Amino acid sequence: MKNFLWGSATASYQCEGGWKEGGRVESMWDKYLHENNLENGDVASDHYHRFREDIRMMKEGGQNSYRFSIAWPRIITDKEGHINEEGIDFYNEVIDTCLEYGIEPFVTIFHWDLPQYLEEAGGWLNRETAFAYVRFAQVCFKRFGDRVKLWTTFNEPRYFSFSGYLIGNYPPGHQNLQETVDSSYHIMLASAMTVKAFREGGYPGKIGIVHSFSPVYGVDDTAETFIAMRHAENFFNNWILDTAALGEIPGDLLKELSKQCSLSVIHPEDFKIIRNYTVDFLGLNYYARVVVKPYESGETTLIVNNKGKAAKGTSQTIIKNWFEQVRPMDSQYTEWDTEIFPQGLYEGIRRTWHKYHLPIYITENGIGLYEDASAEMIEDSQRISYMESHINALLNAKEEGCDVRGYFAWSPFDLYSWKNGMEKRYGMVAIDYEDGLKRKPKKSYYWYKEMIESEAGTIQRTYYKEG
Ligand code: BG6
C-alpha cells in the first residue's frame, strides 16, 4: 500500500484545551457551553501542552499522518484581522513535530470553533464571515504552506450547519430552515473562495473538503422510495459533494427549497467561483449509512441522541414531504444509536468514486464507547472489530479500483465529544481525566500498529459482491 496514509484525526476544540492560553480568544463553543453550564473543552485532552507526547505516540503506533485542525481563535484575534504570533508558533511546533517524526500533517482549516467576535456579528448567517474565513485561510497557507501539503477547507459543513441552525443542539442553537440555508450557502461559498485563493496563491499541495458522509439506502425498490432516496441524498450528501466537487448545487434541491424559503442569499456572480474552483480531493467521515422510506406523516423532526444509553433508541429524522429515516431492526447499534454497518463504507466509496472521480481519503471512522480509563489495560475489542470491518470495506473498494488514499481513525486519544461530553470515548489511547490526564494505550492502539506494519495483512478479509 505504497503512499497510503494511515493516521488518526482530531479537532482543535475537542483536544487542545488551553482555552485562555497563548493569546487565544473566545470561540462560539466556549461561550455557548459556559453560558449553558455544559461540559466543555476548557482542558479537553490538554493537547495544547502535550502534543509532543501525543504525536510521538502516533509515530510509535506506526502511523504516518495526523489530521488536525487549526483553531481560528488562536490565529486571528479580532474583526480587524490581527494575527496572534503565539498561535502561529503553536501550530508551527505541531507541524514541525509531525515532520520530525515522519508524520504527514493533514490540516483542516475549520472544525467548528468560530471566534465569538464573528458569531456576535451574525456568524455564518453573515456573508462577511465567508470573506473573513478566506483571510484566515490565507494566513494559514502563507505561514504553514511551506510544510503542509494536504489541506481541507471545512470539516462537515452539513453536520455543523444542521446541528447549529436546524436541529439546534449545537451553537448557536437555532431551529430555522431559512438560517440553515443561508449559513450552509455561506460555508460552501467560503470553501470555493478558499480553493480560489489557494490556487491563485500558487501554494504547493492539494486542497479538499471533509464531508459527514451518509450513504443513502431505501427500504424497497418502489418509485416512491426512489424519490425519497433522492431527497435524502440531496439532504445528506449532494449539496456538499456536488457543490464542492462538481461546482453545482443540485437543481431539484434548489427548487424544493424555494417552495419553503428565500434563496436571496445566492448571488448570481458567486457561481463563477463555485463552478470554477472545485476541490482536488474528497475527505469522507464515515460513521453510518441512512435507510429511508417515503414520507408518511408528521412535522419535520430531528432528534439526536446526545445522552448515550440513557436515550438509546430515541434518535429520529423525518423531513416533511421528503423522507423518513428508518432504523433496521436486525442491525447493530452503538449506545448513541449509530448503526454499525461497514458495508456502507464500501458502497459509499464506490458511489463517490464513480460519481466524482476524485481521490478519496477516509478522514474519520471510529466508535464511541463507555470505557473505564483507570483500568490497567483497556481491552477495547469492540473498537478493534469495528475498525477491522471498516478497513476491510475500504480495501474491497480500493481493490476494485476506487482511488482511496488514506484512512484516519477517530481518534488517536480520548477527546471531548461535543454535546456528548467526555464519557463518549473514541481514542486508541485512553486519557484518564481523573488521574492527571495520563495517556495509556488501549488494545486497539497495538492492533492498529500491527495492522499498519503488516500493510493491512492482519485484516481478516471478507469480500463484498460488486453492487
Ligand atoms: C464527526 C466530527 O462528526 O464525528 C467530530 O467531525 C466528532 O468532530 C465525530 O467528534 C464523532 O461524533 P460525536 O458527536 O460522537 O463526537
Side-chain angles (χ1 to χ4, degrees):
M1 303 207 30
K2 216 172 142 236
N3 298 327
F4 194 82
L5 299 184
W6 288 113
S8 50
T10 65
S12 46
Y13 185 76
Q14 292 180 270
C15 70
E16 284 178 7
W19 77 290
K20 270 185 165 170
E21 289 177 64
R24 178 188 182 278
V25 296
E26 193 181 37
S27 76
M28 75 189 290
W29 275 91
D30 298 314
K31 176 81 175 179
Y32 169 85
L33 295 169
H34 290 157
E35 227 169 51
N36 292 292
N37 213 9
L38 293 166
E39 205 175 345
N40 59 51
D42 289 1
V43 178
S45 321
D46 197 28
H47 189 59
Y48 185 69
H49 297 109
R50 304 181 195 217
F51 64 90
R52 283 195 187 78
E53 178 185 358
D54 293 333
I55 296 171
R56 175 178 53 72
M57 287 179 88
M58 290 173 202
K59 175 69 187 172
E60 288 170 0
Q63 301 172 41
N64 62 9
S65 187
Y66 175 31
R67 172 176 176 244
F68 60 92
S69 76
I70 296 185
W72 190 345
R74 284 200 192 281
I75 302 292
I76 312 287
T77 53
D78 56 25
K79 268 206 260 183
E80 288 65 50
H82 285 118
I83 298 175
N84 171 35
E85 289 301 327
E86 269 188 271
I88 300 279
D89 291 347
F90 171 66
Y91 291 107
N92 271 334
E93 284 184 57
V94 171
I95 293 165
D96 290 343
T97 307
C98 285
L99 297 178
E100 271 163 40
Y101 284 118
I103 295 217
E104 181 80 42
F106 190 107
V107 173
T108 314
I109 300 168
F110 182 82
H111 198 129
W112 309 353
D113 40 3
L114 187 74
Q116 178 60 21
Y117 61 81
L118 288 175
E119 179 55 24
E120 278 162 22
W124 291 108
L125 300 176
N126 183 348
R127 191 175 164 94
E128 282 308 310
T129 300
F131 294 96
Y133 170 85
V134 179
R135 292 192 292 274
F136 160 54
Q138 281 172 315
V139 171
C140 296
F141 298 149
K142 280 192 191 119
R143 307 298 285 269
F144 311 127
D146 55 335
R147 288 151 295 152
V148 173
K149 301 291 177 268
L150 290 166
W151 296 93
T152 59
T153 55
F154 283 91
N155 180 70
E156 301 191 347
R158 167 180 68 84
Y159 205 85
F160 80 89
S161 61
F162 280 20
S163 302
Y165 294 98
L166 194 61
I167 307 172
N169 60 332
Y170 281 10
H174 300 175
Q175 292 179 324
N176 182 313
L177 179 65
Q178 184 66 59
E179 290 186 358
T180 309
V181 169
D182 294 355
S183 59
S184 309
Y185 179 73
H186 288 143
I187 294 162
M188 294 311 291
L189 175 64
S191 180
M193 290 195 302
T194 298
V195 173
K196 179 172 186 282
F198 183 75
R199 301 252 161 81
E200 287 178 352
Y203 302 101
K206 302 282 180 206
I207 189 157
I209 192 165
V210 171
H211 173 54
S212 46
F213 186 45
S214 306
V216 172
Y217 289 69
V219 283
D220 55 33
D221 286 341
T222 61
E224 291 75 17
T225 299
F226 276 125
I227 294 167
M229 285 170 71
R230 172 67 192 180
H231 283 308
E233 279 290 3
N234 279 345
F235 180 86
F236 285 107
N237 301 314
N238 294 343
W239 67 270
I240 301 294
L241 295 178
D242 287 11
T243 309
L246 306 176
E248 56 194 42
I249 307 173
D252 57 342
L253 173 65
L254 290 177
K255 197 168 153 213
E256 282 296 323
L257 287 173
S258 67
K259 292 181 196 161
Q260 301 178 54
C261 55
S262 152
L263 297 180
S264 59
V265 70
I266 304 176
H267 296 195
E269 71 269 19
D270 297 343
F271 280 107
K272 251 201 221 150
I273 299 172
I274 292 174
R275 219 173 277 136
N276 290 321
Y277 295 97
T278 53
V279 291
D280 295 319
F281 66 86
L282 293 169
L284 302 179
N285 291 351
Y286 179 79
Y287 291 92
R289 65 169 172 176
V290 277
V291 184
V292 300
K293 66 175 185 182
Y295 168 78
E296 280 168 14
S297 60
E299 291 305 311
T300 289
T301 310
L302 289 144
I303 301 170
V304 180
N305 174 4
N306 288 133
K307 295 199 178 80
K309 57 186 172 199
K312 195 164 179 182
T314 57
S315 306
Q316 203 186 5
T317 302
I318 302 173
I319 304 298
K320 194 174 179 179
N321 297 324
W322 287 11
F323 66 89
E324 294 185 23
Q325 185 171 356
V326 298
R327 185 180 151 98
M329 295 309 282
D330 53 354
S331 206
Q332 288 189 343
Y333 296 85
T334 71
E335 301 285 12
W336 285 262
D337 293 344
T338 306
E339 189 189 0
I340 301 174
F341 191 71
Q343 192 168 341
L345 178 59
Y346 161 70
E347 279 154 2
I349 293 173
R350 292 183 74 238
R351 291 181 198 176
T352 308
W353 169 246
H354 292 300
K355 183 168 178 188
Y356 302 108
H357 269 278
L358 285 176
I360 295 168
Y361 293 88
I362 301 308
T363 34
E364 283 180 34
N365 176 240
I367 184 168
L369 298 169
Y370 289 104
E371 287 166 334
D372 174 10
S374 68
E376 197 118 315
M377 170 55 92
I378 294 141
E379 305 266 350
D380 53 345
S381 43
Q382 221 188 323
R383 178 167 295 106
I384 293 175
S385 74
Y386 181 95
M387 289 175 71
E388 171 151 55
S389 58
H390 285 79
I391 292 171
N392 171 63
L394 175 156
L395 294 173
N396 270 274
K398 195 168 161 44
E399 286 156 5
E400 274 179 32
C402 303
D403 185 3
V404 193
R405 299 190 179 181
Y407 173 90
F408 292 83
W410 185 269
S411 49
F413 46 82
D414 290 335
L415 37 67
Y416 171 75
S417 169
W418 305 110
K419 289 297 280 293
N420 311 301
M422 301 305 241
E423 68 174 4
K424 187 177 187 184
R425 292 176 184 265
Y426 279 94
M428 294 182 289
V429 171
I431 296 194
D432 193 341
Y433 304 115
E434 309 301 320
D435 184 12
L437 298 155
K438 235 188 243 157
R439 272 70 171 146
K440 256 188 263 173
K442 303 179 191 176
K443 203 172 165 194
S444 58
Y445 172 87
Y446 298 107
W447 173 86
Y448 195 44
K449 174 180 164 74
E450 216 185 307
M451 190 282 300
I452 296 169
E453 287 171 356
S454 72
E455 299 203 15
T458 58
I459 295 285
Q460 251 201 1
R461 298 302 310 276
T462 52
Y463 294 93
Y464 296 116
K465 281 205 198 86
E466 274 188 49

